[in-house]
Amino acid sequence: MLAPVFNSAGKEPNNYNLELFFELSPDLLCIAGYDGFFKRINPTVANTLGYSNEELFASPINSFVHPDDQQLTASSRQNLTKNMPLLNFENRYLTKAGEVVWLSWTSMPIENEQVVFAIAKNITHKKKQEEARNTEIANLTRTNNDLKQLTYATSHDLRSPVGNLLSVFSLLDTNKIKDPETLEFIEMLKTATDSLKNTLNGYMDALSKNNVLNVALEALDLNECLSVVLLSLRSFLKDSRAVIDVDFSELPTVKFNRVYLESVFLNLITNSVKYAQPDSVPVIIIRSHRRNGISEVIYTDQGQGFDMEKVQDRLFGFNQTFHNDKNVDSKGVGLYLVYNHITSLGGHITIDSEVNKGARFNISFRD
């Protein structure tokens, strides 16, 4: 028998069909004895587990529980016999077809009757979502570690040839070279090699840290960081005749990591030059300001742009390319690095773009 339900006046109603309420509930409702057997179940229990009522009544409840959860379930059921309610208890059952079903139980013992009133919700879908999410996190973590190790190895292995190249410059007697253009070319090569060495050393230091909390943050002069990048790209920019309009007067400094910021400038600028409008001079505009308590750098170019409806979800993805110019050496890593440098230190980056109308990157920094 189901316990009577009283109305707000304290009287037992005569017009409610409580049996129908029990039978139609989409949740699993059951009454179990202290002996570990079902005493009464609603149709949802049989429908969910795939057994007939006779099969469910004939065997101990724990025999339907997943083998890996039987010991925990039995232990929790012992608490019920000590008049302790069981709230939000999750365990797995096996259906007759061998499928796993996750249930979340709320059980109330009735000691004087030696029975337990229990209601369960089927949370299998939720558990599958959690499993998929955890698998994705594990895959992303593994991929991130692999990329970190690859970058570390690459940075380490490149230091030797770069060091050898710098040694060649130190042995070179430029006093014997009279041609000004040759001297300028040698100086450009030496400057670019010095910059590459500093960048590699910076990456080595950053990658040696265990987490982002150990990545060095400091107040960085935006003009200074940009100048280092422009110097390393001097020949590249000269050949492209790129025009770079810079104004950091509103916000001269930001708190960030030097290696990361220089990498952000490097990748954005090289992308703007590589993907400039055909037969046009690349034009880049960089501004900084502070709005509503947030430090921002606005980077704009007038290049080929992006079809945002098509590339929105993968714009900052690894190994993603978006233009079909076969003459451009693109590996689809630049924007991925920009995004990860910014977001790994609590910043945010968005992009507005249209095809053949350039792109605008809004970069905000966490104080």
Side-chain angles (χ1 to χ4, degrees):
M1 288 287 295
L2 288 174
V5 178
F6 294 88
N7 62 24
S8 59
K11 298 179 180 180
E12 185 176 352
N14 297 319
N15 57 337
Y16 295 145
N17 188 340
L18 300 184
E19 292 291 329
L20 189 61
F21 177 81
F22 188 87
E23 295 294 319
L24 295 181
S25 172
D27 292 327
L28 291 80
L29 303 180
C30 69
I31 301 173
Y34 277 22
D35 60 359
F37 284 78
F38 286 120
K39 303 303 179 183
R40 181 171 181 186
I41 57 175
N42 73 340
T44 306
V45 176
N47 292 336
T48 301
L49 298 181
Y51 291 96
S52 67
N53 284 8
E54 292 74 16
E55 290 172 317
L56 290 168
F57 288 134
S59 300
I61 297 173
N62 219 34
S63 66
F64 303 106
V65 175
H66 191 288
D68 293 343
D69 290 352
Q70 287 181 354
Q71 183 175 352
L72 177 62
T73 302
S75 175
S76 299
R77 188 174 291 120
Q78 286 298 315
N79 291 331
L80 285 169
T81 63
K82 299 174 184 177
N83 205 31
M84 297 171 58
L86 191 63
L87 305 177
N88 302 317
F89 174 74
E90 296 179 359
N91 65 354
R92 290 168 292 179
Y93 279 68
L94 286 178
T95 69
K96 191 172 183 177
E99 297 177 350
V100 176
V101 176
W102 276 94
L103 300 177
S104 177
W105 293 92
T106 296
S107 305
M108 304 298 295
I110 310 298
E111 188 173 19
N112 60 342
E113 298 185 19
Q114 298 286 287
V115 295
V116 175
F117 282 59
I119 180 171
K121 291 186 177 295
N122 189 337
I123 58 170
T124 305
H125 179 66
K126 171 189 169 186
K127 287 294 183 179
K128 286 183 177 179
Q129 287 182 323
E130 290 179 356
E131 183 180 357
R133 181 192 63 191
N134 292 335
T135 299
E136 185 66 21
I137 290 174
N139 289 337
L140 288 172
T141 301
R142 184 170 58 253
T143 300
N144 184 62
N145 288 334
D146 290 344
L147 288 171
K148 182 176 179 179
Q149 291 303 316
L150 175 61
T151 306
Y152 187 88
T154 302
S155 299
H156 179 272
D157 293 346
L158 283 176
R159 291 172 74 225
S160 293
V162 169
N164 291 334
L165 187 56
L166 286 173
S167 297
V168 171
F169 286 121
S170 68
L171 296 173
L172 187 63
D173 186 359
T174 56
N175 292 324
K176 297 180 180 180
I177 301 175
K178 304 302 181 183
D179 181 46
E181 190 172 332
T182 302
L183 288 171
E184 182 183 5
F185 178 69
I186 292 173
E187 181 59 28
M188 289 172 61
L189 279 175
K190 184 177 184 301
T191 300
T193 306
D194 274 323
S195 177
L196 177 58
K197 177 185 176 183
N198 292 332
T199 298
L200 291 174
N201 286 338
Y203 273 122
M204 291 286 289
D205 291 340
L207 289 167
S208 296
K209 309 301 181 181
N210 291 326
N211 54 59
V212 297
L213 295 178
N214 290 326
V215 175
L217 298 178
E218 57 183 311
L220 299 175
D221 186 295
L222 288 169
N223 270 312
E224 181 182 311
C225 290
L226 180 60
S227 295
V228 170
V229 173
L230 295 180
L231 189 60
S232 69
L233 295 174
R234 184 165 58 173
S235 178
F236 177 68
L237 295 173
K238 183 178 180 180
D239 290 342
S240 68
R241 296 181 293 121
V243 175
I244 303 180
D245 181 2
V246 179
D247 185 355
F248 294 141
S249 58
E250 281 193 44
L251 180 71
T253 64
V254 295
K255 189 175 182 180
F256 204 62
N257 176 267
R258 180 177 297 276
V259 173
Y260 284 9
L261 184 58
E262 290 178 3
S263 177
V264 168
F265 282 142
L266 177 71
N267 282 290
L268 289 178
I269 291 170
T270 52
N271 271 5
S272 294
V273 174
K274 287 192 293 185
Y275 300 112
Q277 295 279 6
D279 303 319
S280 297
V281 172
V283 177
I284 299 168
I285 302 171
I286 312 176
R287 299 286 186 266
S288 65
H289 59 236
R290 191 167 177 82
R291 296 285 187 271
N292 301 318
I294 298 176
S295 300
E296 292 184 325
V297 168
I298 310 301
Y299 179 99
T300 308
D301 67 27
Q302 299 177 8
Q304 297 179 31
F306 304 94
D307 185 337
M308 296 303 291
E309 290 187 3
K310 292 183 178 179
V311 306
Q312 181 87 46
D313 296 335
R314 54 190 184 92
L315 190 60
F316 296 112
F318 180 69
N319 200 29
Q320 297 291 326
T321 56
F322 308 102
H323 301 92
N324 297 320
D325 189 348
K326 296 181 180 180
N327 297 318
V328 174
D329 180 21
S330 177
K331 302 300 182 184
V333 177
L335 290 181
Y336 170 84
L337 289 175
V338 168
Y339 177 83
N340 280 275
H341 288 335
I342 297 296
T343 58
S344 66
L345 296 181
H348 188 62
I349 181 170
T350 60
I351 179 173
D352 295 314
S353 182
E354 293 183 40
V355 176
N356 296 325
K357 292 187 178 180
R360 173 188 170 102
F361 294 86
N362 288 55
I363 304 170
S364 60
F365 300 87
R366 187 184 69 179
D367 291 333

